[in-house]
């Protein structure tokens, strides 16, 4: 069981702050590069929806990390809230 101190950060916040803003990109630019709609990416970045496995693969290819990085962020976020 996870220790229930502070909740993990939503993966959308990490995407928004650590990847999109850090690279001086816009939601529109990233969405086009990923081949998804701006609305879909915005929903993730605004923490309304989670990161799917398909999006995790696309993000890993775009930002040079692994799909597991993204899916682990999502899993940890969901597990913390489920407990």
């Amino acid at each position: 069981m996870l220790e229930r101190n502070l909740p993990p950060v939503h993966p959308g916040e990490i995407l928004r702050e650590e990847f999109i803003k850090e690279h001086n990109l816009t939601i529109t630019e990233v969405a086009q590069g990923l081949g998804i709609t701006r609305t879909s990416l915005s929903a993730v970045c605004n923490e309304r929806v989670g990161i799917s496995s398909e999006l995790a693969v696309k993000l890993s290819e775009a930002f040079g990390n692994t799909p597991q990085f993204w899916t682990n962020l999502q899993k940890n976020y969901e597990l913390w809230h489920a407990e």
Side-chain angles (χ1 to χ4, degrees):
M1 181 179 285
L2 295 174
E3 197 171 312
R4 293 191 55 92
N5 293 326
L6 295 175
V9 176
H10 189 279
E13 180 180 342
I14 293 171
L15 173 60
R16 182 182 70 238
E17 299 297 325
E18 302 295 325
F19 291 91
I20 295 174
K21 285 185 180 178
E22 283 290 320
H23 290 93
N24 295 315
L25 299 168
T26 67
I27 297 288
T28 302
E29 291 170 331
V30 174
Q32 288 173 344
L34 296 173
I36 63 173
T37 66
R38 183 190 186 291
T39 304
S40 295
L41 184 59
S42 180
V44 172
C45 290
N46 290 315
E47 305 172 33
R48 290 191 304 271
V49 299
I51 293 178
S52 67
S53 297
E54 181 180 333
L55 182 55
V57 170
K58 291 179 179 187
L59 290 170
S60 70
E61 292 170 354
F63 292 110
N65 46 30
T66 66
Q68 290 78 15
F69 171 78
W70 297 105
T71 56
N72 284 339
L73 289 173
Q74 187 64 47
K75 177 188 68 165
N76 290 338
Y77 180 83
E78 291 173 2
L79 282 173
W80 192 92
H81 287 282
E83 290 179 339

